[in-house]
Amino acid sequence: MPTFSVFTDVPLAQKLEGSLLKTYKQDDHPNKMFLAYRVCLTNKGHPWVSLVVQKTRQQISQDPSLNYEYLPTMGMNSFIQASLELLFGKHSQVIMENRAGGVHTVGDSGAFQLGVQFLRTWHRDANIVYIISSQKEPHGLIFQDMGFTVYEYSIWNPKNLCLDPNMFLSMVEQIPSGSVLVIGNIIDCKLTKSQWAKLMSIMKSKRVFPFFDIPCQGFYTGNLEEDTRILQYFVSQGFEFFCSQSLSKIFGIYDEGVGILVVVAVSNQQLLCVLSQLIRFTQALWLNAPSTGERIITSILCNPALRRQWKHSLKEVVKNIMLIKEKVKEKLRLLGTPGSWNHITEQSGTHGYLGLNFQQVDYLVRMKHIYIPKNGWINFSCINANNIDYITQAISEAVFFTKGPEKYLPKHQK
């Protein structure tokens, strides 16, 4: 039996999911709860899947005309076009001028992997990356592995309990010239017209290259156009940029990993050059991304009746999430929980901040077996009629506990 191994010095990597989920799985408490799942859940605690997706998947599986031949490396043309129109709008300036294109990738991580490899090769002057979002994103690891220096910032203001536009502008002002700026979920960061103008001016003067992350279009406001309005600002100002467009979550096909790296260039000629280089990288990385999810999404987006059903299902999800947030806020108010809880309903999307400090989060984890990240960022779709009372009472207890001695506990705990 051989004794030498080239893997001798390879250490065991730390799991990206961290220790929170691992600790939750090892906990044998009957009331344990995990509120940090990435997927959108139904009121029964199962991953949400649009009904129209289930029907379309079945139809495709029974289609005798499919020959399962290799598809184009960049993806089906109909899929790319439908996805671009979903992102920008059918009559968008960049669509009409043929300045936007895309490559089908293996999820949003694949889009970042492809985009980062392009920037490392063809934008060599860019060595610094700033990632600004509502919370910590996983994309920094991809940039780091490719040799970039990465700075990550959250613009959540724990004092004012909101995404702070001034924090956003302050961070952009610090970015060195020629850097890459990754902009994540900042839909709730309400910039004024003058602040938008200032942002554009700073980025243009410093030649900052924007790289957007659009993971859940439609899950924030229920309005597909409103959720990507930030892209329209940059298009109108003539910016070139990359955008990671993830489609898996909004169709409920999480295991398919359907994404697109979207490119916006100043001209069609330059767009074609960029796409040709991206296709070369794609051929080396995965050649063909899985096609099942691509076919499902294309079938829905290109069929007006199916598209309407899907958009309606998105609005229902957003409506249900907002109802959950309203109930959480009201129950905390009725329990007499100190502080204002309006920030819960002022945040868009399935995920958001509870507004708890580290001590309060630690209390929930250790004493109530409710597992949430240290920053209090949770998935509100994890809350349903079966657990909302336990969760809100636990939150109230955690807040009272950290405010003072036992005499300040709510009545039901005395």
Side-chain angles (χ1 to χ4, degrees), residues 73 101-103 111 114-119 122 242 261-263 271-286:
T73 302
V103 177
L114 186 59
V116 171
Q117 190 158 347
F118 178 92
L119 293 173
W122 295 104
F242 281 170
L261 176 63
V262 175
V263 183
L271 172 66
L272 294 176
C273 291
V274 173
L275 290 177
S276 70
Q277 295 295 336
L278 290 174
I279 289 174
R280 286 185 67 246
F281 292 133
T282 302
Q283 289 171 336
L285 287 170
W286 53 72

Side-chain angles (χ1 to χ4, degrees), residues 33 50 64 73 97 101 124 160 181 241 255 266 369 374 388:
M33 296 177 191
S50 175
T73 302
E97 296 173 357
R124 295 188 182 94
N160 297 334
L181 173 60
F241 57 81
D255 59 340
V266 295
H369 303 270
K374 291 180 180 179
I388 189 170

Side-chain angles (χ1 to χ4, degrees), residues 387-398:
N387 61 25
I388 189 170
D389 288 333
Y390 180 81
I391 291 172
T392 51
Q393 287 172 9
I395 293 172
S396 183
E397 186 178 323

Side-chain angles (χ1 to χ4, degrees), residues 11 34 63 73 114 121 127 168 172 194 205 221 229 300-301 404:
F34 189 77
D63 185 353
T73 302
L114 186 59
T121 305
N127 296 309
F168 183 31
V172 173
S194 61
S205 64
T221 66
R229 190 167 298 279
I300 293 172
L301 293 181

Side-chain angles (χ1 to χ4, degrees), residues 343-406:
H343 62 277
I344 290 178
T345 53
E346 289 170 352
Q347 298 175 82
S348 303
T350 55
H351 293 67
Y353 286 96
L354 279 176
L356 302 179
N357 59 38
F358 290 161
Q359 188 180 8
Q360 292 161 349
V361 169
D362 183 63
Y363 182 91
L364 289 179
V365 175
R366 289 190 303 105
M367 305 301 294
K368 310 305 291 185
H369 303 270
I370 297 176
Y371 291 85
I372 66 176
K374 291 180 180 179
N375 61 5
W377 173 266
I378 73 162
N379 181 347
F380 279 96
S381 72
C382 294
I383 302 176
N384 53 53
N386 296 323
N387 61 25
I388 189 170
D389 288 333
Y390 180 81
I391 291 172
T392 51
Q393 287 172 9
I395 293 172
S396 183
E397 186 178 323
V399 175
F400 274 108
F401 178 80
T402 56
K403 290 290 183 182
E406 185 181 352

Side-chain angles (χ1 to χ4, degrees), residues 36-52:
Y37 288 112
R38 291 186 300 167
V39 304
C40 179
L41 301 180
T42 66
N43 55 12
K44 294 183 179 179
H46 303 303
W48 171 84
V49 181
S50 175
L51 289 177
V52 69

Side-chain angles (χ1 to χ4, degrees), residues 131-136 152-168 171 185-186 188-189 340-348 351-358 374-378 380:
I131 300 177
I132 298 179
S133 187
S134 57
Q135 51 110 32
K136 185 176 176 63
E152 297 185 60
Y153 298 97
S154 167
I155 54 174
W156 173 257
N157 187 324
K159 183 178 179 180
N160 297 334
L161 299 175
C162 68
L163 296 186
D164 194 332
N166 294 319
M167 289 176 63
F168 183 31
M171 291 170 186
N185 172 26
I186 62 166
D188 292 323
C189 187
S340 169
W341 298 94
N342 291 331
H343 62 277
I344 290 178
T345 53
E346 289 170 352
Q347 298 175 82
S348 303
H351 293 67
Y353 286 96
L354 279 176
L356 302 179
N357 59 38
F358 290 161
K374 291 180 180 179
N375 61 5
W377 173 266
I378 73 162
F380 279 96

